[in-house]
């Protein structure tokens, strides 16, 4: 399950990046630009679409890839970053490492839960 979730996430991020680059994202999408192409959409729909500028998607993909790197499997089946919360700092023995994939990685995968490759067991 460990490698499957990470492989799934990397594939979804690759998909997001590919589609964003295909849209020639240049960070200049605006509500007014979108109105030219779809003037019958409501203001709310055009605003939502403009907020999904491919440049923003590419920034999100990069941030999520860095989050993946911040949560490595430390070979004993634990996340190298996350701990289960108990009173006290981990260095004082009050907490234990979260099993891998940790809750953070499961939450990163959650937006893709409608993808056919998403496994219900990954749900946080
Ligand atoms: Zn983690």
């Amino acid at each position: 399950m460990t490698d499957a979730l990470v492989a799934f996430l990397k594939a979804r991020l690759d998909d997001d990046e590919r589609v964003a680059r295909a849209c020639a994202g240049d960070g200049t999408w605006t509500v007014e630009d979108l109105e030219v192409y779809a003037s019958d959409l409501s203001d709310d729909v055009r605003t939502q679409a403009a907020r999904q500028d491919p440049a923003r998607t590419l920034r999100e993909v990069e941030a999520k890839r860095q989050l993946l790197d911040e949560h490595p499997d430390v070979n004993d089946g634990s996340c190298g970053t996350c701990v289960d919360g108990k009173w006290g700092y981990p260095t004082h023995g009050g907490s234990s490492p979260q099993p891998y994939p940790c809750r953070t990685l499961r939450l990163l995968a959650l937006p893709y839960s409608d993808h056919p490759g998403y496994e219900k067991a990954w749900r946080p």
Side-chain angles (χ1 to χ4, degrees):
M1 181 169 85
T2 295
D3 293 337
L5 181 123
V6 172
F8 174 83
L9 264 171
K10 287 181 176 178
R12 298 297 70 75
L13 294 174
D14 289 348
D15 288 346
D16 289 349
E17 180 182 22
R18 180 181 42 76
V19 171
R21 290 197 185 284
C23 294
D26 58 6
T28 60
W29 282 23
T30 65
V31 170
E32 294 77 22
D33 290 341
L34 294 172
E35 190 170 359
V36 171
Y37 300 108
S39 60
D40 57 337
L41 297 176
S42 72
D43 287 349
D44 289 341
V45 171
R46 284 186 286 111
T47 299
Q48 171 62 17
R51 291 176 56 115
Q52 303 308 313
D53 185 307
R56 174 179 167 172
T57 299
L58 293 174
R59 291 191 299 271
E60 289 177 352
V61 165
E62 179 56 29
K64 290 173 182 176
R65 285 178 174 151
Q66 289 185 33
L67 275 170
L68 274 172
D69 290 344
E70 290 287 321
H71 295 267
D73 181 351
V74 290
N75 297 325
D76 66 350
S78 299
C79 178
T81 300
C82 296
V83 294
D84 282 326
K86 292 182 181 176
W87 191 87
Y89 292 101
T91 54
H92 297 139
S95 301
S96 56
Q98 283 188 15
Y100 199 83
C102 64
R103 182 171 172 78
T104 299
L105 295 184
R106 292 169 186 266
L107 287 168
L108 272 176
L110 191 56
Y112 304 105
S113 61
D114 61 344
H115 188 280
Y118 183 85
E119 296 182 20
K120 289 182 180 174
W122 296 340
R123 189 170 287 279

